[in-house]
Amino acid sequence: MAEQLTGLAGDRVLLGRTSTAERVSDILRSRIAEGYFPPGTRLSEDSIGGALGVSRNTLREAFRLLTHERLLIHELNRGVFVRVLTVEDVEDIYRTRALVECAVVRGLGAPPYRLGGLVAAVEEAHTATAENDWKGVGTANIHFHRELVALAGSERTDELMRSVFAELRLAFHVVDDPRRLHEPYLARNAGILRALQAGDTKGAERLLETYLADSLERVVEVYRRRVGEDTAGSS
């Protein structure tokens, strides 16, 4: 927890002079999406408020916003925790991804497209792979799909998917073999990028549909097993 709090203290500068619950929730959402706070982690008001330099009331409002986004859960007399997803949650996340991401690609119109963010995410993943940083590969994968959604040029869509991708990270964090989960999608992300660079949106959409269906099957398989193991271990 000390390492996470040190990172949060560095985020204090992001708050500027107009510290608000929305900005605090943005920071915490990003940290959850990047895996700093694993599912089941209890979030201490005193520690996090001190690290960010915000009042208890501001932090509680940020917690409330993230609870509404299904990233946190409040347990009576116990505190606030990062939410542990169910298998049904994971399936719903992927349904949402398929609806939104495929629609974005389908609606791109004529090329060229602004693909710099996708190129950077693919390069980020290859760098993390070379360093054997499979958590970093998972983060780069989320960055790739976030940049894909950003091609729509819609703030509302970006906002919707920010919380969806943060929830997705919660699912990824439960997986005990991140290399097995993420490695196959390095080539697939690159394939989607190449199709878009060639202006082939139909091909990119086909690749994306197959990608998401295969990823859902793989994640649910592992997630169901891990959740079952955890339940059995606690019984």
Side-chain angles (χ1 to χ4, degrees), residues 111 113 115 192-201:
Y113 312 119
L115 303 177
I192 293 169
L193 174 59
R194 284 194 299 271
L196 292 175
Q197 287 171 328
D200 181 10
T201 55

Side-chain angles (χ1 to χ4, degrees), residues 17-155:
R17 295 180 180 178
T18 56
S19 174
T20 65
E22 288 81 5
R23 292 194 181 191
V24 173
S25 66
D26 285 344
I27 289 171
L28 294 178
R29 186 190 302 105
S30 295
R31 288 296 183 174
I32 291 170
E34 292 168 4
Y36 281 85
F37 297 113
T41 301
R42 182 180 180 276
L43 301 184
S44 165
E45 288 185 1
D46 291 339
S47 298
I48 293 176
L52 289 175
V54 298
S55 70
R56 187 181 296 268
N57 286 341
T58 296
L59 187 61
R60 286 178 176 175
E61 176 62 13
F63 284 171
R64 188 191 67 77
L65 292 171
L66 295 177
T67 300
H68 181 69
E69 293 180 17
R70 298 176 300 279
L71 295 177
L72 303 180
I73 185 170
H74 180 267
E75 296 186 9
L76 189 62
N77 298 324
R78 293 194 64 217
V80 176
F81 295 81
V82 178
R83 191 159 171 260
V84 178
L85 302 183
T86 65
V87 171
E88 290 75 19
D89 289 325
V90 176
E91 292 171 337
D92 192 40
I93 287 169
Y94 272 88
R95 278 194 295 270
T96 303
R97 291 186 67 193
L99 285 169
V100 174
E101 293 187 48
C102 290
V104 167
V105 173
R106 192 180 314 123
L108 281 179
Y113 312 119
R114 296 183 177 180
L115 303 177
L118 293 179
V119 171
V122 168
E123 292 175 351
E124 178 188 355
H126 284 300
T127 299
T129 301
E131 297 172 353
N132 203 33
D133 177 11
W134 295 100
K135 177 181 173 183
V137 173
T139 298
N141 181 43
I142 289 176
H143 289 169
F144 179 90
H145 289 273
R146 186 182 65 196
E147 294 296 335
L148 184 69
V149 169
L151 293 177
S154 166
E155 292 184 5

Side-chain angles (χ1 to χ4, degrees), residues 94 97 185 188 210-220:
Y94 272 88
R97 291 186 67 193
Y185 301 106
R188 289 187 166 195
T210 304
Y211 175 122
L212 291 174
D214 291 347
S215 182
L216 170 61
E217 182 178 354
R218 182 184 292 263
V219 171
V220 165

